[in-house]
Amino acid sequence: MQNAQNSLTVPIILWGNKCPTHCVSSILISRRQDFLVTGSHDGQICLWQLKNGSFKATPTMLFVGHSRAVTCLAWLTPADNSFVSSSEAGEMCLWDLEDSSCKEATVVPYVHTHIQAYQLVGRRTGQLFCNGYYPDILVYDVFSLQLLFRLISKINPDWITSTIIMKPPGTPDDVVVGLTVGGAMKVWTIQPDFKSQGREVIFENESKQLAVQGAWTLKSCPTFPRTMLIVSPKAWHIYDAGDFSLLCTTNPPDDTQWSSGDFLNTEQVVIYGSNGSAYLFRLPLNSVADSQHFRRTISSTGTGNIPAVLFGVMKVPNATPLACEPAWTIFRSPKSTGQYPFRVENYIVRGDARGRILVWAIPEYTKEELTTITDGKAAVPEHTPMETTDMDTEWDRLTRRLPGLIDRAEFEDGGALKITSSLYAPIHGRMFLGMEDGAIIMLPALQKLSTQLFIGKKPSDMPVYRFLRGHEGKVTALLYPNQDDQRYDPGMLISGGIDFTVRVWDLYQCQLQHTFVCQAGEILQLITPPSGCNARVLHSICSIASDHSVALLSLKERKAIMMASRHVFPIQAVKWRPVDDFLLVQCTDGTVYVWQMETGHLDRVVQGGAAEDVMRAVDEEFGEGNGNGFANDVGGNTTLQLFRAIKHRNMDAVRQAAKTGLKNLGGNAAGGGANDGWSKTFFGHPLTVQPVRSSPLDQENHLLLFDVEALVLQLLQEENRTDLISDIGKNTPRTDGKPAEWRSSSTIPGSASSAATSAADQYHSKPPQKQIAFATEGMSMTVEVAQLLVSLLYAWGLDPEMDRLCVEKLGMLQPKQAVNYGIISKSGYMTLLLPTSIHRKSIELPQPQERIRDMLATITRGHWSISNTLTTVHLVALVSVANTLMNIQNATFHSDYEKRRKLHRRLMRMDTKAGQGSGPAPELTQGLGGGYSTSEAAQTFTEQQAQIKQTWSQLTAMHCVLLSERLGYENFKPPDVEVMLRRWQDRCLEIRTASQALILSELRRMGGSGRRHLIEQWAMYLPNFTANESAPLSEMRSASAASNAIPDTPASEQLSNEDEDFEELQHEPTVSDPSLPSLYSVEYRKKQSTAIILLGIIGAEFGPETQLSVSRSPSIDAMKAKQETMSVTDPVIRQVAKALSHIVINPDERLQPFSSLRRSAVDLLGRGFLAWEPFVDIAQILLSLLRLTLDGDRQVTIPTGVPLTPAQDMARAARHALEMLASVRPPVFITVMNTEIARHNSLVQSAQTLNVNLNNATIVRAKEELLRILDMLINKHPQSVADLIVEAVEIVIHSLDPGRIKTHGLVELFPPVGRFPMIAFCKQNRRIAVGSKKGGVYICELRGVKMQSYGGHAQPVSSCEFSPDGKHLATFSCKEGKLLFWQIGATLFGLGSTQPRCVKTCKAVSVSFQNWPELKDHAEYRMARQRWVSNKDVMVILANGKEERYSL
């Protein structure tokens, strides 16, 4: 599985006043007549909604992701709720209309022109039969899009243009009929027992050459499949499928060619012409299968001589020539809708190059009417469309202004301004717009978005525009070089235009600095050289023009230092080789020109396979992150480059696509590959604005990408005032040769980002006191981005009181109108809402509050009823950002309050450092009105803090728990649990916490029946791990595993990337159900991982409901009671427990050691240990968790705002799981650890003979971790530790240095054991005495390896204490009421010792447990303690204060 950046992104599209072009290439209509799907030559797919059973279509969504034209569409299920699409680039996508997202995507080396979904006999899942520009028929799995088998032609193989799949009556076989482009008819037979495992092939059973050339369509009659329609450009034919005899032939009119066709019924066909008209023909009787004259008129040569009769033409009045042939489909209505004056059975739907949808209704003529037309007594009727819909009309029907970045009404002349290029500088929050008239508009993006999207903005809040004028004609390219590398002046902007010039602008003075005129073509792209080039090139930029030239323009010398202009074909890509001082230019014909940057000489020209090898070598080096290679795509659509980069999660490519501003050259530029790990992770900016357009002629629309992870990290960084770049330099090294871009070392003075610092003076001579022409005052840019995001995602209008608190307390903004959201789904494919699908009206002030609230509620209901995936992403984003703002001292979006809050926090830090309080500063009284003292201001500030925290908490609870109730279940698409599972162990802790809270809330909302349905749905994917697992790990295995443990993670891999999904298991279980996908399917292994985590969560949080084998009982109470207990024979719990333990314990190298799947398994083992305990090996689990804790714990402290590395995150998860496991089962943890210590001690005695390195054993390396967990258990469960006090002391002795114990004592080194009076240590004789719960007395000599047991008491020992001289030991049992004196003998000079023995027994009746009933309220381990008053006398003190003295 490929690695991808695990980022949470919320897209929002800002459409302009002009709709995007949509040149229809394929069309599809649902059987229920509710949806229409059209694919375009630009690669986009549009979803049209048909309302009220009519054909009035409304465009609602745009599916984006295909890089080339969409060639075919096909429904997957009879319900028509999902479809598959294919493009000329070989991309196949499976789209779900209910969720409005892409569920599966793949790229194949074939171009499909026709796809048909069919379910073979004996299969429970469907298959996709594909044909196209290749000689085979490929069969794919309908869900995973994996190739199953091929239908191959061995006789005259040729491209298959069309196929028909049928099930002949009386036979169990399926028959596939294919037509080649050369006119050969081929037949394949698929038997039910055919196994598709291993991609087997099937050869044709029959092949016959027909008298047809260039055939493109093959159709069979729906009612009588024996007759077949074949359409070629020059004629269409009717054949008999029995023996492929020709029955009828008809030629096209002189002004057109046939493109396709279909049957209307057994007697009529419709043939589509290339001129955009459809022709209705009546078949002769010899071609009608149910006629008695069928096949009666066939010549001896087999040529049909009776033509069909034209009886109707479907055409568009006043039609103009189309750029492309239209796409056609037919809709067969089961009954009349009653809306038209005649009974309708069939409809013809056409989509053309202008984005129009035209629908014709085909009436049923009587026999008399048909006879009159066919005999020539009446003219052939021409029918006009009954419905015509196009995007331009739908766009013009909008009654509100679309919230674009620029509005024509804001300018004095009110002219129609077209944006031809745009660039967003996220470091400063500035947007640069290149216009068609040559002007460049500079405006603050965040301030502009606030005024466009939200109500209540004052005229003073309107952004100030600045204009840069100088180009003669439209601006085609923009570049802000400081955004790419800090070596460039932060006050410099570069632009290129259609006037062949490249201009350098001074942003400080808004003036033109220099103009380069050295190329003879329109400037297509401006890029910066990578670091590593020579000093002269580093101060230059690269300009690419439409005259096929590339120029290096020196910003320092103000001249062109290199001109490469010998390219014959348009430039497709530019790549760098700084080590060899080479610039590689790839053209659209595949030729690569290698230029020397220093001298400007052409080194060589490479073609063919060698050119591909050269470019691939540069790509591989750049992929390794060594800085020696760098790629820039020149050809292709900017929008396609953007979505290709999003698809691969290549944030560097996303940033590069933001500044291209290219026109569509028609070339297929190679997209950047996926990032190969966190070694290239780009923690991007919280907000990125990307230009989007379908074709070069469109106006640029803009896509807002909110990176939630980057937003959370920057909020934490700004709040804690940490120098994040230095921390990342230590923990997350970048390998692309660029500094981390979330901190700017060169900042335009006065910009919106208050967190950015200015260090441009080290490179440039710009005076730091210069300011940009305008600046945004108030909050930091990161907080403004958070305000935009939270205000857009909040559910307005559902709770008026909550809305008021959000506006007054939190400073949130109410939306002016519904916005168009986007959904990033599988493989980065994106769904964009069109403005015609949402609320059309805008909220303009003044309005009554009730009216505003109703309109906001309408917007909210539309927002949360779009898609399950959209609901999931928006809830996770909103809750994570809200929790972050609540946790950083209850931040708000009020600028005045934020100033006082930050001032108060800074003063508190100063007071803490000074060690004394100086009271609130006078600035805290600002904004509170007069009459407030500093103490009153501090109290008011504290009250405001509490109110703000409560409001944030209520906002989170509303969206986690109450949203479905407030909206109503009919207006709410619940979050997708499977999507949220991918965030269960997200690398960002705030997103992880929000996802876990939402998952648990959704599972609770489902109730028991919903959770059981999930279990039944996913239980089939659980892997069946056998019980042949090894015995508990011996110390030898632990030692050897530890000695071969994973070494310290290198710097380049410390932030290894994680996939968006859980990685698949390598284990291949045995599944008996043949209808399930192949066990070798990647998709099936992904489902295995999802099933393990999902059922693990249900088992851990709702354990009793995991049982599926509950027998039917007449007593409902008895059934519920049975569900509340865990059954050892429960198969689901057993399978989940085995799977989780296998993932954690299994040392298989194929499983990534710090993967999200393994981290989730560790977390769930700790959460639900009570459920998994009967089925797992506890010793193996504990040792594995300890090992993971030690392997990943490479750094003690993690700077705030820096995400954890996978190793550190695994250590954190394993440590937390150990704490939870030890908390729920303290005796189990203590016993298992004590057993492992005993095994280790036994191995120590024979370590030399076994040649085992015991110093790296897990139980040795985990000493500090054992002490930490034992400390936690003593604080939380002291009685459980007291019950196993002997084993606990052995763990402490093992974890501490014996030499330090002798000199410092046990309590001094580990103070928590001082809470137990039954533990005693004597420095004189260096012994430790412990009284057990069973009454035994254990004495350990530190020079020994094991405690010695001595009997004495029949009840638990309450206290032990050595005499001051160390010669005697007194033990007391409160429940038994007995005190024992032990003699601890020693020889002369302490060189030897004798066995301890009991020398006296005293009855302690007055301090016995029976005489003091109130002692029952005290813990057993605290009932009594001792104190020696002399070497012969000891005092027993009870918990109630009663004392009694005993003498030896």
Side-chain angles (χ1 to χ4, degrees):
M1 176 179 281
Q2 68 176 5
N3 292 325
Q5 184 174 356
N6 189 18
S7 61
L8 181 65
T9 305
V10 177
I12 294 177
I13 183 71
L14 299 180
W15 298 106
N17 293 319
K18 295 294 183 180
C19 70
T21 57
H22 189 68
C23 183
V24 179
S25 61
S26 54
I27 192 169
L28 195 65
I29 186 172
S30 64
R31 301 176 183 90
R32 297 175 298 179
Q33 195 181 343
D34 52 357
F35 289 112
L36 186 71
V37 183
T38 56
S40 71
H41 288 277
D42 299 320
Q44 293 133 3
I45 301 173
C46 183
L47 178 66
W48 307 69
Q49 186 176 7
L50 306 177
K51 295 184 179 180
N52 302 325
S54 67
F55 285 92
K56 186 61 179 177
T58 302
T60 59
M61 294 182 186
L62 206 63
F63 302 115
V64 185
H66 288 297
S67 59
R68 302 289 292 274
V70 179
T71 56
C72 55
L73 303 168
W75 295 112
L76 296 181
T77 59
D80 293 348
N81 53 10
S82 60
F83 68 94
V84 64
S85 62
S86 181
S87 71
E88 292 181 353
E91 301 154 337
M92 296 180 64
C93 301
L94 194 154
W95 302 91
D96 185 2
L97 294 183
E98 293 183 354
D99 193 43
S100 304
S101 61
C102 175
K103 295 302 182 182
E104 188 59 55
T106 186
V107 180
V108 297
Y110 308 100
V111 178
H112 307 311
T113 58
H114 179 263
I115 297 178
Q116 182 177 353
Y118 184 81
Q119 184 174 339
L120 295 174
V121 176
R123 307 292 179 90
R124 293 180 58 183
T125 58
Q127 293 78 35
L128 297 176
F129 288 79
C130 306
N131 60 270
Y133 300 154
Y134 46 89
D136 306 331
I137 297 178
L138 307 179
V139 183
Y140 292 89
D141 182 78
V142 74
F143 295 112
S144 64
L145 299 182
Q146 286 192 326
L147 182 62
L148 300 179
F149 57 93
R150 303 167 182 259
L151 304 181
I152 295 181
S153 176
K154 59 182 178 181
I155 301 176
N156 298 326
D158 200 353
W159 287 3
I160 306 294
T161 60
S162 188
T163 57
I164 296 176
I165 308 173
M166 60 182 68
K167 174 69 173 60
T171 61
D173 303 335
D174 295 292
V175 176
V176 180
V177 181
L179 178 66
T180 66
V181 69
M185 192 76 72
K186 298 180 179 295
V187 181
W188 291 267
T189 301
I190 304 177
Q191 300 177 354
D193 57 351
F194 172 74
K195 302 297 182 182
S196 62
Q197 302 279 348
R199 299 183 180 180
E200 300 181 15
V201 298
I202 299 178
F203 293 100
E204 78 269 32
N205 302 91
E206 184 178 354
S207 178
K208 183 177 181 180
Q209 182 66 40
L210 306 180
V212 179
Q213 291 295 329
W216 286 103
T217 302
L218 174 64
K219 296 288 183 180
S220 63
C221 182
T223 54
F224 293 93
R226 184 171 178 177
T227 56
M228 305 178 68
L229 170 65
I230 298 177
V231 181
S232 64
K234 298 299 182 181
W236 62 267
H237 317 270
I238 297 295
Y239 278 85
D240 182 9
D243 56 358
F244 299 115
S245 300
L246 180 63
L247 305 178
C248 175
T249 299
T250 303
N251 297 324
D254 296 335
D255 58 343
T256 186
Q257 292 182 345
W258 300 133
S259 59
S260 182
D262 206 339
F263 280 93
L264 296 176
N265 49 49
T266 57
E267 300 179 358
Q268 301 171 359
V269 295
V270 55
I271 308 298
Y272 310 125
S274 59
N275 59 353
S277 299
Y279 299 86
L280 306 180
F281 289 94
R282 183 181 182 183
L283 300 178
L285 294 180
N286 76 318
S287 303
V288 180
D290 58 347
S291 172
Q292 60 182 352
H293 302 284
F294 182 61
R295 290 177 56 91
R296 286 193 176 181
T297 354
I298 301 179
S299 62
S300 58
T301 60
T303 304
N305 50 15
I306 302 179
V309 180
L310 178 69
F311 70 92
V313 179
M314 306 293 181
K315 62 187 306 182
V316 181
N318 301 323
T320 57
L322 299 174
C324 304
E325 287 190 6
W328 299 85
T329 188
I330 186 171
F331 176 76
R332 297 180 174 88
S333 176
K335 60 181 180 179
S336 174
T337 60
Q339 297 185 8
Y340 302 99
F342 40 79
R343 188 169 185 269
V344 176
E345 290 290 345
N346 297 291
Y347 301 92
I348 297 177
V349 185
R350 191 193 87 172
D352 57 26
R354 298 175 183 172
R356 295 184 300 178
I357 303 298
L358 301 96
V359 182
W360 288 270
I362 302 177
E364 285 191 350
Y365 292 100
T366 63
K367 292 184 178 180
E368 292 76 11
E369 293 174 341
L370 284 176
T371 303
T372 303
I373 297 173
T374 55
D375 293 344
K377 297 180 181 180
V380 177
E382 295 183 353
H383 303 279
T384 58
M386 70 175 190
E387 291 288 354
T388 302
T389 306
D390 60 82
M391 282 194 176
D392 289 331
T393 304
E394 293 298 318
W395 230 263
D396 295 338
R397 289 176 59 235
L398 297 176
T399 58
R400 59 175 175 82
R401 295 182 306 173
L402 295 178
L405 283 179
I406 195 168
D407 193 346
R408 70 183 66 177
E410 298 178 3
F411 300 95
E412 297 179 357
D413 53 2
L417 296 178
K418 182 178 178 181
I419 303 175
T420 57
S421 61
S422 59
L423 174 65
Y424 176 66
I427 299 177
H428 312 295
R430 297 291 179 263
M431 195 74 192
F432 303 97
L433 304 176
M435 310 305 293
E436 192 174 21
D437 61 351
I440 300 175
I441 303 177
M442 183 170 55
L443 71 157
L446 298 179
Q447 190 177 357
K448 176 61 179 177
L449 290 173
S450 298
T451 56
Q452 289 285 80
L453 298 175
F454 302 104
I455 62 176
K457 286 294 182 178
K458 303 176 183 179
S460 59
D461 297 330
M462 295 299 294
V464 179
Y465 294 175
R466 291 292 180 264
F467 291 85
L468 305 177
R469 301 186 183 275
H471 282 285
E472 298 178 0
K474 66 179 181 179
V475 181
T476 58
L478 291 172
L479 175 65
Y480 183 61
N482 181 260
Q483 182 175 332
D484 293 340
D485 201 299
Q486 298 175 9
R487 64 178 181 266
Y488 294 100
D489 190 341
M492 180 186 297
L493 177 70
I494 315 296
S495 65
I498 200 173
D499 56 355
F500 308 165
T501 64
V502 176
R503 299 176 185 266
V504 182
W505 304 90
D506 183 3
L507 296 180
Y508 295 105
Q509 303 294 333
C510 293
Q511 295 178 354
L512 178 64
Q513 282 189 340
H514 187 73
T515 301
F516 293 97
V517 184
C518 55
Q519 293 172 286
E522 173 186 348
I523 306 300
L524 301 179
Q525 186 176 358
L526 299 170
I527 56 179
T528 57
S531 58
C533 299
N534 60 69
R536 193 182 186 194
V537 176
L538 284 178
H539 292 86
S540 305
I541 61 168
C542 180
S543 173
I544 305 171
S546 61
D547 63 342
H548 313 164
S549 65
V550 178
L552 286 181
L553 309 177
S554 176
L555 302 177
K556 187 176 182 180
E557 303 176 21
R558 300 291 196 233
K559 67 178 182 179
I561 59 176
M562 192 197 80
M563 175 64 68
S565 58
R566 298 183 183 180
H567 313 114
V568 180
F569 289 89
I571 298 173
Q572 178 172 303
V574 173
K575 300 188 179 182
W576 308 81
R577 177 77 177 180
V579 174
D580 300 324
D581 196 39
F582 284 159
L583 176 68
L584 288 76
V585 180
Q586 184 182 25
C587 298
T588 55
D589 64 338
T591 306
V592 175
Y593 295 81
V594 182
W595 297 86
Q596 294 182 0
M597 291 186 288
E598 182 69 23
T599 61
H601 294 163
L602 180 62
D603 186 82
R604 69 184 79 108
V605 178
V606 188
Q607 296 178 339
E612 297 179 359
D613 295 339
V614 169
M615 301 300 285
R616 190 181 303 111
V618 177
D619 290 337
E620 291 176 357
E621 294 187 18
F622 177 62
E624 295 174 0
N626 54 13
N628 294 335
F630 192 84
N632 293 96
D633 293 336
V634 179
N637 193 310
T638 311
T639 306
L640 299 182
Q641 294 180 12
L642 166 65
F643 288 116
R644 187 186 301 123
I646 294 177
K647 180 190 304 184
H648 295 293
R649 297 296 195 274
N650 191 339
M651 298 308 295
D652 287 333
V654 170
R655 179 167 46 84
Q656 180 68 22
K659 58 184 179 60
T660 52
L662 297 178
K663 61 185 292 185
N664 192 350
L665 302 179
N668 182 20
N675 284 341
D676 57 345
W678 277 16
S679 59
K680 283 187 170 184
T681 298
F682 171 70
F683 295 102
H685 301 280
L687 174 63
T688 305
V689 183
Q690 305 287 2
V692 176
R693 56 182 174 183
S694 301
S695 70
L697 301 178
D698 289 348
Q699 176 174 328
E700 281 193 348
N701 305 300
H702 293 89
L703 181 66
L704 309 181
L705 296 174
F706 291 90
D707 191 337
V708 180
E709 181 185 17
L711 177 59
V712 169
L713 295 179
Q714 289 203 15
L715 285 173
L716 295 174
Q717 179 259 333
E718 288 186 1
E719 181 66 18
N720 292 275
R721 306 290 187 183
T722 55
D723 190 3
L724 203 53
I725 189 67
S726 60
D727 296 331
I728 292 183
K730 300 176 183 178
N731 303 290
T732 59
R734 295 177 57 87
T735 57
D736 55 0
K738 298 182 180 180
E741 298 198 15
W742 54 358
R743 191 206 71 163
S744 171
S745 62
S746 302
T747 301
I748 298 177
S751 62
S753 177
S754 62
T757 59
S758 178
D761 300 319
Q762 57 182 334
Y763 293 110
H764 311 286
S765 59
K766 279 291 181 185
Q769 67 273 12
K770 286 189 176 182
Q771 300 288 326
I772 196 171
F774 57 86
T776 302
E777 297 181 356
M779 299 176 294
S780 67
M781 186 180 67
T782 306
V783 178
E784 290 186 26
V785 173
Q787 183 185 30
L788 287 177
L789 181 61
V790 174
S791 300
L792 289 173
L793 300 184
Y794 174 75
W796 295 96
L798 302 181
D799 188 342
E801 180 62 22
M802 189 65 196
D803 294 349
R804 183 187 64 82
L805 292 175
C806 290
V807 174
E808 295 180 359
K809 300 297 182 182
L810 304 183
M812 293 171 56
L813 304 174
Q814 292 182 328
K816 183 185 301 184
Q817 54 198 359
V819 296
N820 300 277
Y821 298 104
I823 304 172
I824 299 179
S825 52
K826 187 73 174 182
S827 300
Y829 285 82
M830 185 176 294
T831 303
L832 300 176
L833 295 183
L834 295 174
T836 56
S837 64
I838 58 178
H839 192 56
R840 299 174 180 270
K841 295 184 179 180
S842 175
I843 302 176
E844 300 292 344
L845 296 181
Q847 289 274 2
Q849 288 297 325
E850 293 77 8
R851 175 65 175 167
I852 294 178
R853 185 163 58 250
D854 293 342
M855 297 182 71
L856 289 175
T858 303
I859 294 174
T860 299
R861 284 191 292 269
H863 173 196
W864 300 105
S865 61
I866 297 174
S867 165
N868 302 95
T869 301
L870 183 137
T871 300
T872 305
V873 173
H874 287 190
L875 285 179
V876 173
L878 179 60
V879 174
S880 58
V881 175
N883 287 337
T884 303
L885 293 170
M886 181 174 60
N887 293 333
I888 56 175
Q889 298 295 323
N890 307 315
T892 68
F893 303 128
H894 288 296
S895 58
D896 295 338
Y897 177 81
E898 277 296 288
K899 292 178 182 178
R900 290 188 288 116
R901 184 185 68 84
K902 293 180 179 179
L903 175 61
H904 179 267
R905 189 166 184 266
R906 186 163 59 251
L907 292 176
M908 293 297 293
R909 286 182 175 179
M910 294 173 59
D911 295 342
T912 302
K913 293 180 179 180
Q916 59 183 1
S918 58
E923 291 82 351
L924 292 178
T925 61
Q926 295 180 0
L928 299 178
Y932 279 91
S933 62
T934 54
S935 59
E936 293 174 345
Q939 182 179 359
T940 304
F941 180 79
T942 304
E943 294 175 355
Q944 290 178 349
Q945 286 279 79
Q947 294 174 0
I948 291 170
K949 183 175 183 179
Q950 183 180 4
T951 306
W952 281 122
S953 179
Q954 292 175 357
L955 184 148
T956 304
M958 173 182 171
H959 289 83
C960 280
V961 182
L962 305 175
L963 187 59
S964 59
E965 299 178 4
R966 299 284 176 85
L967 284 170
Y969 294 102
E970 67 278 0
N971 297 322
F972 179 66
K973 289 280 190 178
D976 192 343
V977 176
E978 184 178 357
V979 175
M980 288 189 293
L981 282 176
R982 303 167 188 168
R983 306 287 175 183
W984 180 262
Q985 283 294 318
D986 194 272
R987 68 181 182 185
C988 180
L989 299 182
E990 286 73 16
I991 296 178
R992 179 188 307 179
T993 304
S995 301
Q996 294 177 359
L998 288 169
I999 289 177
L1000 298 179
S1001 176
E1002 180 63 18
L1003 291 176
R1004 294 189 187 98
R1005 188 193 64 83
M1006 290 180 178
S1009 60
R1011 292 191 290 270
R1012 282 190 290 271
H1013 176 72
L1014 276 179
I1015 296 171
E1016 295 170 358
Q1017 178 183 357
W1018 288 95
M1020 67 176 69
Y1021 297 106
L1022 283 176
N1024 185 19
F1025 291 99
T1026 57
N1028 58 354
E1029 297 171 342
S1030 60
L1033 289 176
S1034 63
E1035 186 60 40
M1036 181 185 299
R1037 181 176 177 182
S1038 300
S1040 60
S1043 61
N1044 298 325
I1046 299 174
D1048 293 348
T1049 308
S1052 61
E1053 299 178 0
Q1054 282 189 354
L1055 285 180
S1056 120
N1057 197 4
E1058 300 178 23
D1059 190 15
E1060 184 182 18
D1061 299 333
F1062 296 114
E1063 50 281 307
E1064 67 273 8
L1065 291 175
Q1066 301 293 337
H1067 181 75
E1068 297 175 0
T1070 302
V1071 181
S1072 59
D1073 193 349
S1075 65
L1076 292 178
S1078 170
L1079 297 181
Y1080 300 95
S1081 168
V1082 175
E1083 179 66 21
Y1084 184 72
R1085 292 198 294 269
K1086 294 178 185 177
K1087 289 185 177 296
Q1088 278 187 332
S1089 304
T1090 304
I1092 292 172
I1093 303 306
L1094 175 59
L1095 299 183
I1097 295 173
I1098 298 177
E1101 301 293 337
F1102 313 94
E1105 298 179 12
T1106 313
Q1107 302 183 23
L1108 294 178
S1109 57
V1110 178
S1111 60
R1112 294 288 181 180
S1113 174
S1115 173
I1116 299 178
D1117 296 337
M1119 179 183 296
K1120 291 182 178 180
K1122 189 172 183 179
Q1123 286 182 345
E1124 292 176 356
T1125 59
M1126 281 297 183
S1127 173
V1128 179
T1129 60
D1130 189 349
V1132 176
I1133 297 179
R1134 179 184 295 272
Q1135 282 184 279
V1136 175
K1138 292 292 185 182
L1140 293 176
S1141 62
H1142 173 82
I1143 296 173
V1144 175
I1145 298 173
N1146 190 13
D1148 193 342
E1149 296 180 355
R1150 294 175 296 178
L1151 287 176
Q1152 298 181 10
F1154 305 126
S1155 63
S1156 60
L1157 174 63
R1158 199 170 195 180
R1159 195 165 60 242
S1160 300
V1162 167
D1163 177 65
L1164 293 175
L1165 277 176
R1167 287 174 177 264
F1169 183 71
L1170 293 177
W1172 325 127
E1173 184 179 5
F1175 313 106
V1176 299
D1177 190 321
I1178 302 175
Q1180 288 187 350
I1181 292 293
L1182 289 176
L1183 288 177
S1184 298
L1185 293 179
L1186 282 174
R1187 188 180 305 111
L1188 291 173
T1189 302
L1190 299 173
D1191 291 341
D1193 196 8
R1194 303 299 184 191
Q1195 185 168 340
V1196 180
T1197 59
I1198 304 297
T1200 304
V1202 178
L1204 301 178
T1205 64
Q1208 294 166 349
D1209 205 357
M1210 177 62 76
R1212 179 183 179 275
R1215 184 178 294 110
H1216 185 57
L1218 279 174
E1219 292 177 356
M1220 292 189 292
L1221 190 150
S1223 298
V1224 297
R1225 284 289 188 265
V1228 173
F1229 176 82
I1230 296 175
T1231 304
V1232 171
M1233 289 296 100
N1234 184 65
T1235 304
E1236 294 300 324
I1237 291 173
R1239 289 178 180 173
H1240 171 75
N1241 292 335
S1242 63
L1243 281 176
V1244 169
Q1245 301 177 359
S1246 56
Q1248 295 181 353
T1249 58
L1250 294 177
N1251 193 21
V1252 177
N1253 183 11
L1254 297 178
N1255 294 327
N1256 291 328
T1258 302
I1259 203 66
V1260 176
R1261 296 189 297 146
K1263 291 182 178 180
E1264 293 184 4
E1265 188 65 21
L1266 292 176
L1267 290 177
R1268 189 188 64 82
I1269 297 178
L1270 197 58
D1271 184 12
M1272 181 267 297
L1273 291 179
I1274 292 175
N1275 293 326
K1276 294 183 177 180
H1277 308 280
Q1279 188 58 52
S1280 299
V1281 178
D1283 295 341
L1284 296 172
I1285 192 62
V1286 177
E1287 291 81 0
V1289 171
E1290 288 184 344
I1291 296 175
V1292 174
I1293 295 174
H1294 167 79
S1295 303
L1296 296 177
D1297 184 10
R1300 290 176 57 83
I1301 297 177
K1302 294 178 183 178
T1303 57
H1304 295 80
L1306 186 65
V1307 178
E1308 288 78 1
L1309 295 180
F1310 192 61
V1313 298
R1315 301 178 59 179
F1316 301 102
M1318 68 283 298
I1319 301 177
F1321 172 74
C1322 182
K1323 291 185 178 181
Q1324 283 73 15
N1325 55 31
R1326 298 179 179 178
R1327 286 185 173 90
I1328 298 175
V1330 183
S1332 68
K1333 186 177 181 180
K1334 296 182 179 180
V1337 178
Y1338 292 78
I1339 300 177
C1340 174
E1341 297 185 22
L1342 294 179
R1343 61 184 179 183
V1345 295
K1346 186 178 181 181
M1347 280 192 174
Q1348 300 294 329
S1349 175
Y1350 304 94
H1353 293 279
Q1355 295 290 335
V1357 178
S1358 301
S1359 63
C1360 296
E1361 190 66 34
F1362 283 99
S1363 62
D1365 57 2
K1367 296 181 179 180
H1368 296 89
L1369 171 68
T1371 61
F1372 172 70
S1373 175
C1374 186
K1375 289 188 176 181
E1376 188 181 11
K1378 181 188 293 186
L1379 178 71
L1380 301 182
F1381 287 97
W1382 301 77
Q1383 182 180 357
I1384 309 299
T1387 58
L1388 186 63
F1389 305 115
L1391 298 179
S1393 63
T1394 59
Q1395 290 293 332
R1397 59 190 181 90
C1398 181
V1399 296
K1400 184 177 180 179
T1401 302
C1402 301
K1403 293 291 183 180
V1405 179
S1406 59
V1407 292
S1408 64
F1409 179 77
Q1410 293 79 6
N1411 295 335
W1412 305 100
E1414 65 272 13
L1415 292 178
K1416 295 180 180 179
D1417 299 333
H1418 295 270
E1420 293 184 9
Y1421 72 94
R1422 294 189 304 177
M1423 285 185 177
R1425 57 187 179 89
Q1426 301 179 40
R1427 181 168 58 86
W1428 285 81
V1429 295
S1430 66
N1431 290 332
K1432 300 295 184 180
D1433 300 321
V1434 64
M1435 184 75 71
V1436 177
I1437 305 172
L1438 295 183
N1440 59 1
K1442 178 65 177 177
E1443 300 180 0
E1444 186 159 348
R1445 185 169 180 171
Y1446 300 90
S1447 298
L1448 178 60

